[in-house]
Amino acid sequence: MSELVDAIVQIALVIMVGLLLPCAYRVFIGPSAADRLQAIETITTLLIGVIVLLAIIQGSAFVVDVALALAAFSFVATLAIARYLSEGRMF
Amino acid sequence: MIAEIVGATFIILGVFFSLVGVIGIMRLPDVYSRIHASGKVATLGIFGLLIGVALLLPGTLVKAVGLLLFLLISSPVASHAIAAAAYRSNVPLADVQRDDLAGVSRPQRKRSRDAE
Amino acid sequence: MIHFIFPAALIGVVWVLVTSRVTLESYFVGLVIGLAITALMPPPLPVIRWRRLPDQAFALVLYAMILLRDIVLSGLDVTRRILSPTMPLNLGIIAVETQDETANPLIAALSADVITLTPGELVIEVTDGHTLYVHCLDVEASAARAAAQQAQRLKLFKHILGRSS
Amino acid sequence: MNTLFALATGLMFGMGIFQLLRRDLIKSAMGFYILFTSINFLFLAVGAYDGVIAPYVDANNQTSSQPSDPLVQALILTAIVISFGSYALLLGLIAVSSRRFRTLDSDRIDQLKG
Amino acid sequence: MVLALVILLPFLLAVLVSFARMRASTVGTISALAMLTLFIISLLQLSSVTVLGASSLNIPWIPEIGLTLSIYVDGLALLFVLLITGIGVAVMFYAGQYFEDGRTAARFLALLLAFTGSMLALVLAGNVLTLFIAWEATSIISFLLIGFYGGDSAARRGASQALVITGGGGLALLVGLLLMGSAGGSLQIADLLANGDVLRAHPWYTAMVILILIGCFSKSAQFPLHFWLPGAMSAPTPASAFLHSATMVKAGIYLLARLSPALGDTLLWTTVLPVFGIITLLMGAVLALRQRDLKAILAYSTISQLGAFVALIGLPNGEGLKAAFVGILAHGLYKCALFLIAGAIDHATGTRDILLLGGLRRSMPGFALVTLFAGLSMAGVPPLFGFVAKELLIEAAEIDPLALIIVVLSAAFTVTVALRLFWDVFVRPGAPHDGVELHLHKLPRLMVIGPALLAVTSIVTGIGVGPLITPLIEPALGKSTSLYLFPPGGINLAFVLSMTALAVGIAVFVTRGWWLAWRLPTLTSGTQIYAGIIRAVEGLGDLLLTSQGGKIRYYLTAILTAVVLLLTIAIVRILPFEIQAIELKNASDVLKAVLLGLALVSTGASILFERHLLAALSLGVAGYAIGGIFLLEPAPDVALVQFLVETLATVLIILILARTSPEERQQAISKLWGQTRWGLMRDLTIATALGCAMTIFALAAVNSRPTPNSIAGWHLENALPQVGVNDVVAAIVTDFRGTDTLIEITVFGIASLGVLTLLARPKPGKVTRFRLRLRHPVRSMQIEPSGETEPDLPMIYRSRFADPVTQLAALLVLPFSFVIALAHIAYAGVAPGDGFTAGAIIGLGITLWFVVFGYQETKARLRWLHPTSLIGAGISVALINAALPLVFGREFLAFTQVADIYVADIKIASTLLFEVGICLTVFGGVSTIMEAISHPQEAEPL
Amino acid sequence: MSNSLLLGPIFIPLGGAALGILLARNRTYQQIIGLICGVLAWVCSVAVLLANLSEGIFTYNLGGWVPPYGIVLVADLLASIFAVMATTVMAAGILYVLGCRDKSVSAPAFMPLFLCMAAGLNGALYTGDIFTMFVFIELMVIASVILVAISDNRLGMEAAIKYLFISAMGTLFLLTGIAALYASFGTLNMADIARLLASGERPVLAQAAAVMLMCAFLLKSAVFPFHFWQPDFHTVAPTPVHAVLSSVVVKVGVYGLIRMTTLMFTAEAPLIHDLLVVLGLIGIFFGSLGALRTYDAKRLLAYSTFGQIGFILVGIGWGSPATLAAAIIYAVNHSFIKSSLLMLTGTISSRTSAKTSRLSEIGGVGNTLGFTSGLYFLGGLALAGVPPLNGFISKVTLIQSGIGLEEWLTVGLIVGAGVITLMYMTRTWQLIFRQERAETVQLKPRGDSVLAPALLIGLCLALGLFASPLIQVALRAVEQMGDPSLYIRAVLGG
Ligand code: NA
Ligand code: NA
């Protein structure tokens, strides 16, 4: 892999990780719980991107498996919280 | 070589859209519009990165497709659920032009401070 | 039997995707797994009919293309709005009928999913299995094209799902 | 980097302890969770190698890069599973006791004394 | 060794008697006859001891602690054996008459016989530990006898008090004896007696003597440990007569006499014993004067006599031993008789109050006669045996004027007491003072035989003291001596003083109307002091128990403070050490640092957020950030687990929030910052201190690495060749450290069972099954495909809860979760993911169902889902996999594969089965937890 | 082959637990399985002890991986003695469960949890790997927390929460110590750590690691100031659980302390010893007085355990071979005494409708139960150290060894505590068995079976009358521990 591409990927990784911070900020400031929730959802999504970039950097395809699980299942928590928010109680 | 260039381009695109999405999350006026921005990260941002990785690291192509599949299932559902939760817990809309949902009978939530 | 085989066959594909081993051997393993899963909890996957298979596949690919186009176009639009210093937003919630005569929740769900997937539109509520309430960043544009888009979507969905009508 | 992990261990531990000492049982349970997280950092900090690749070995190409310590990773896995099990149990206990004692204030759950 | 049988016989008889169903008198007679037999046997031994000297028998018992079953027979031992068995005859016989009920008598006599056996073992013991065992046995049986009437709270208190004093003294004695054994190099009495010089010169001498004296004084009721004896009078009278007058209380005297050759004749010994003895002598005599209760009078008088014996044993060169031995015999005879009579009076009149009694000679003439003679012996009137004893006592006291005065004074008071016992009870005319009418019960005619026997013996031994008693005393003294009723040299000082005492005693008796009316200041009694000490101890205990205040925060604070202190001590020793500089070598390190910062800030935010949901969300962010760190480490396996567990943990806490009442949570929340400033400062201080300690600790830990010889290197090298796995973490988890994993999943499984069991138990103690019961049977619910008009369409249900979007997601994700999970299992060795992640993933799929569809619909649709069985099955599979290699002669949990078989790159080996087991357990566990929390019956807010 | 016996005490109960979970619907099967597993575990542990005596230390490499790379089970005499003690009480506990009328006992999870507790305990004793010890201890802790939480006593929940929090502290300390050890030595095998500690220069962290491990073990044994959980947690437990917790489960910390001071941290041992004596004395003092002032038959025994552990710690802390042997003897004897007393208390409580053990409410309940009364009396005497019961042997060996070291103050305290023990045990016995029953107390015609406690009391008596074997084994164990190289060689070979 050429140095340029390597550099691009590295920078991309840094940016993606950097983007986590404003999202975290959104989690902290809200203002509504739904805001925080969607910020967390974004963090998850960004992390999927981070993993994908890491796969390129580390040159190992298996890292994508982690992203797969994250993509498929982290929203379970989001749904649970959303349901709690919209109904006040769960069951 | 071409794959590398195209791949890198898609990665730049993916990162760009992610960046835009996060800017949206910071800038947009209410939770509903911020959910749009968040969805953007998921769709355009990650799509770009996935295409990029599939090109740069050919071994991941199949997995990238699988990942995309799951993202297609989960991402809109999450956005929808959050939006519904926000609306049901009376999170205010920023100056809307039109609200067809106002007045439609919906499941009412129990009062809790948690949603505020 | 056919109700077992086809979901299982699709699950087999998913297995291949997930394990990233594109071999016939791997697919057969996936198929076996698919059969077991289908027996336990039949997933809501389209029922494939041999006669209509080309139709189904064609509709799927076509809709994928349309969706992709929509996503990219509205993505660019939303990008413009977000990055613009004045943030020209035109927020609002519109009601969109699924136009499905049976009010099938599956249609509603699929429609809601793809609408939400499109940047700039977000389904907030689905009532009675046929009315979608969509939050839009540009409420006028969305309202203008909503009904037509939904009609097209419904048609293609019916093809994809192998529905007779 | 390991030094940083060491600092994080201490910080996390301190925060966990503070949270643990709240009267609110749910907060205390969160403190419990934080404390176990800090232990993960400690294990990361004491890993034997400064690894740059994941501990995956391949028969044909022995890369010159140093893999990270697989043993501490296995230990962390075990610790995570056990602490999660305990955490679930703790939350279950709190849920039931909140029904029985009608409070989540740990100071009011003090019938056993003397 | 016949005397070994002498010890065993009473025990055997005790067992037999306790099972016997006979009349009381029969039991008593049998026991008395047994005692008589023993007495005769012992008497026959006397000659051999006289001829051959001391003899001993040793059977090793527990040689490690120096305990041998040994018997040491000499004159002293035999003297006591004769005393015990002889008086036992009278007491046992009397006891048979005393009890009306055969069962009670049997129970009582069994105890009494066991006591006899223990007492005989005590005096015959040839090893100090054997002696101690017997000593404790007598204390215990005494406790049981004092509390024989357990319904009486005073009896229970008295029994307890007696046991605490004598038992506690016994423990002191034990230490003293062990010290002596250590110093003397043996626990055998014979050796110790031979080693007296060594013992007396040993630095521990003082300690051992004091400890042994505490033991002996407590047992023999010496000042200041005397007060338990009057309290022990709630025992049935035969027990009081036998234990608390004639025998057990003399065990201390016996031991002092026994050890005086080894320990005696030092300044300490000859000071402490006479001083405490004399004090006790006087105190007992004085206190006896003013008692109203017959048994109390006798008890104090006994204390007084015991004091005299202790003082006598303490005299230098064994000068007082003769007087002591004679006194012990004489006292045993008359005091026991008097006790038995007191019991008879109590029996007949229902009272023992001397002020209420009087003129009983008409109704109880036999007892009056016996009392007369026993009293005369007590008063020391010739020619009774008591006279001889008193002469010898006074003679021995002649060495010190003060002692002499006290002895004579005490003798005088004893005369007074004896006179009161006879005159005021049997002779004094007129009705009782208080007008209380006495109900006289008819006593068994034979009851008088016991005391009479003793009184007659007092007379006979008094008159024939020379021939009868000398042979008993001589072997005990170990030298020849002579005894006589009247001194051959005519009237001597002792006789004069004896008569003086008699006269004074009579005088005091006559004036009793006058001095009994005195209002003396009530001195603080021993019992009160004892109660005071107990109260103080109890107060201390209460003070300590206040630390157990019930509030978990303070417990944790205390524990953590202790840890901080300990850790600080340990850490200060390693300071200063070199701290490795923070070097961020590459982008990955920088990103790790960023994520670390994010994790820490989020954690901090979770503390600052008051509301639970927000705190939980912050924690979720921290968890994901940590997952990112793991990814960058790089540790993909851990990262995967971290992401999944974090998701599960978040769901869990949300479900718990939904489960708990918002009001209660609000209440608890408002307590957070409403805490006092001081409380917050305290928490902050502890948190900071521990955080700092931990930081230094971790820095030091980092300083110790990298470790060149870490076993992880071996793991990296051997994962592929040994178990054919690329993922070294997977190799460690399933093979190299498979046991950890096996146990870890069991922990997880049972934790989830715990959650279920807890939540499924509405009330404590209510029995439930694992299977939760539905209020509405699932079958009756309407769950039909909504597309019924169009059977072609895939099924999607009308749900009570779910909106179509989430429903569709749930329906799709669960099957896919199986696919992904199976992929994790199949390729655990080459990719991130393993059985645990597989289980967690399916668990998340199930969780999604519970979240989307609720409990009832989920259970109705997934009828195959039996979470607890899954746990059991999972652990079973894992265990079967572990045990299978044993069948092939390999180790438990050994890596097994038939050959290098791959199906679609899936390695077919034991590991696969293990992974399946892990997956099943974790899947079952997660489902169990979710099922338990989402159970509808539990959802009702309470 | 004898090596595989080592698996028995750990994995037989574990298998029984798994089977028990599968058969959750049938309590009878569960109990039969439980009894079989309990007995088999006991047989295995005894066989291990015997093999140990004849062959010396032996090991079992789990999975066939050679130490220090894999996990190894090690049977030395110390572990074997503790394991026999544990399996004996566990088997008795299961026997008690069979005749127990508690409702909590009929919970489907009860027997599996009980067996897990046994497996965890035995595993913690036999393992030669410090991290595996942590895992086994967690198994034990989690199982016991649940068992207490589901108690018939309505405060079970409260105690369980408190213990779970406090126990987590112990877990943290243990993990911290393990991390430090791994950082310093790159290994988790205790023999390997011992070898490295003995051979090279001492890493800076050794002492701090020792402190952390010590805190963890002190917490598991409920030693001052880590004791707060113990009276609560033990008292509210269902009787068979209480019997096991208060007797053998608390000993796991004691075992850990002995193991770490004799095998690994021999250089730090003097410091630790001094601390142990101080803490032990405080425990004796606190436990005795606490028991004296507690009017609940179960709770006072929990306090008594606090005190008794103090005696054991003092024995360890005195640090000579004789005192260490005395401590081991004390630990074993105390287990049998305490478990039998607790079971007897349980049989009494089971006669009352309230299932309480408060003396004010169970006073006189036992006054018609002659056999139980006798057993309790014997147990009380054994606890107070009265001959010829086994408690006497403990006390004598401890005092003798203390005299050898001229530790007068401590010996004095032991004597004082003995008096107090005598006070509260006789008082309790009198109140339960000797006084008249209050009219309001309704007695149930049947209570829990006294078979298990009777057997245990028999054992106490036997261990008092025939104490030599135990003393000899303890002395041999101490002799074995005196030379850590034996252990190291047995595990690592060479
Ligand atoms: Na959208
Ligand atoms: Na793996």
Side-chain angles (χ1 to χ4, degrees), chain E residues 586-601:
Chain E
N586 45 34
S588 147
D589 274 3
V590 176
L591 296 179
K592 266 193 263 183
V594 171
L595 286 174
L596 211 49
L598 180 57
L600 289 169
V601 169

Side-chain angles (χ1 to χ4, degrees), chain E residues 70-96:
Chain E
S70 63
I71 289 178
Y72 181 79
V73 187
D74 65 352
L76 179 64
L78 265 185
L79 179 71
F80 273 86
V81 169
L82 290 170
L83 175 75
I84 295 159
T85 51
I87 290 182
V89 176
V91 172
M92 301 273 177
F93 184 79
Y94 175 89

Side-chain angles (χ1 to χ4, degrees), chain D residues 56, chain E residues 637 727 730 827-834:
Chain D
Y56 283 65
Chain E
D637 294 79
D727 182 352
Y827 300 107
V830 292
D834 50 27

Side-chain angles (χ1 to χ4, degrees), chain E residues 61-65 107 129 132-133 136 140 143-144 147-151 156 159-160 163-164 167-168 171-172 174-175 178-179 182 187 204 534 537-538 540-542 544-545 547-548 550 552 555-556 558-560 562-563 566-567 570 573-574 694 697 700-701 703-705 707 709-712 714-715 722-723 735-737 739-740 742-744 746-747 750-751 753-754 757-758 761 764-765 767-771 868-869 871-873 875-876 879 886 890-895, chain F residues 7 11 14-15 18 21-22 24-25 60-65 68-71 103-104 106-109 113 116 129 131-132 135-136 139 142-143 146 149-152 154 157 162 166 169 173 176 180 182-188 196 204-205 207-209 211-212 214-215 225-228 231-232 271 275 285-286 289-290 292-294 299 303 377 381 386-387 392-393 396-397 399-400 403 406 408 411 415 418-419 422-423 426 429-430 434-436 464-465 467-468 471-472:
Chain E
W61 184 4
I62 307 177
E64 291 79 8
I65 58 172
R107 198 156 69 86
L129 277 183
F132 175 75
I133 292 174
E136 289 290 89
I140 297 296
F143 163 78
L144 291 172
F148 192 73
Y149 301 117
R156 289 202 306 273
S160 202
L163 182 61
V164 167
L171 282 170
L174 173 65
V175 178
L178 290 174
L179 277 179
S182 256
L187 291 171
W204 296 349
I534 297 289
V537 170
E538 289 181 341
L540 194 57
D542 289 342
L544 285 176
L545 286 186
S547 72
Q548 198 77 16
I552 177 76
Y555 295 173
L556 287 170
I559 288 171
L560 294 171
V563 174
L566 289 173
L567 200 55
R573 290 161 172 271
I574 60 176
M694 238 3 181
F697 186 89
N703 196 40
S704 314
R705 45 136 268 138
T707 322
N709 53 354
S710 166
I711 55 172
W714 186 92
H715 293 140
Q722 301 264 7
V723 291
D735 287 299
F736 300 137
R737 297 184 69 83
T739 318
D740 281 354
L742 180 60
I743 303 304
E744 149 205 328
T746 314
V747 172
I750 62 167
L753 280 186
T757 312
L758 283 173
R761 285 168 78 84
V767 187
T768 44
R769 300 205 170 278
F770 275 148
R771 204 60 56 78
T868 55
S869 308
I871 298 174
I875 302 174
S876 301
L879 273 173
L886 291 175
R890 305 206 44 211
E891 290 87 349
F892 190 79
L893 259 172
F895 173 75
Chain F
L7 299 170
F11 294 104
L14 202 62
I21 296 172
L22 283 174
R25 295 181 143 229
Y60 188 91
N61 297 340
L62 285 162
W65 307 111
Y69 309 113
I71 293 169
K103 282 181 183 130
S104 60
S106 61
L113 288 169
C116 279
D129 187 288
F131 191 80
T132 311
V135 179
F136 276 121
L139 180 64
I142 296 293
I146 303 166
I150 64 173
S151 162
D152 284 10
R154 54 182 296 275
M157 203 71 65
K162 288 178 181 171
I166 294 178
M169 299 302 106
F173 307 148
T176 315
Y182 181 74
S184 307
F185 304 110
T187 181
L188 297 165
L196 292 165
V204 288
L205 214 52
Q207 245 171 33
V211 165
M212 288 322 252
M214 185 187 70
C215 287
F226 304 100
H227 64 280
F228 297 100
D232 300 348
L271 273 174
L275 188 70
F285 191 65
F286 200 146
L289 291 181
L292 184 67
R293 289 309 284 158
T294 304
R299 196 171 175 87
Y303 274 113
F377 190 66
L381 294 184
V386 172
F392 170 67
I393 306 294
V396 168
T397 47
I399 293 177
Q400 271 182 338
I403 287 174
E406 310 203 10
W408 305 125
V411 170
V415 171
V419 177
L422 208 54
M423 267 159 89
T426 52
W429 177 75
Q430 283 179 332
R434 300 293 293 146
Q435 69 171 343
E436 296 299 322
L465 293 173
S468 285
I471 300 176
Q472 274 171 3

Side-chain angles (χ1 to χ4, degrees), chain A residues 76, chain E residues 648 651 655 842-852 926 930:
Chain A
V76 175
Chain E
L648 277 173
V651 175
L655 296 186
I842 308 180
L844 274 169
I846 295 286
T847 305
L848 183 59
W849 274 51
F850 279 115
V851 167
V852 169
V926 174
M930 295 307 163

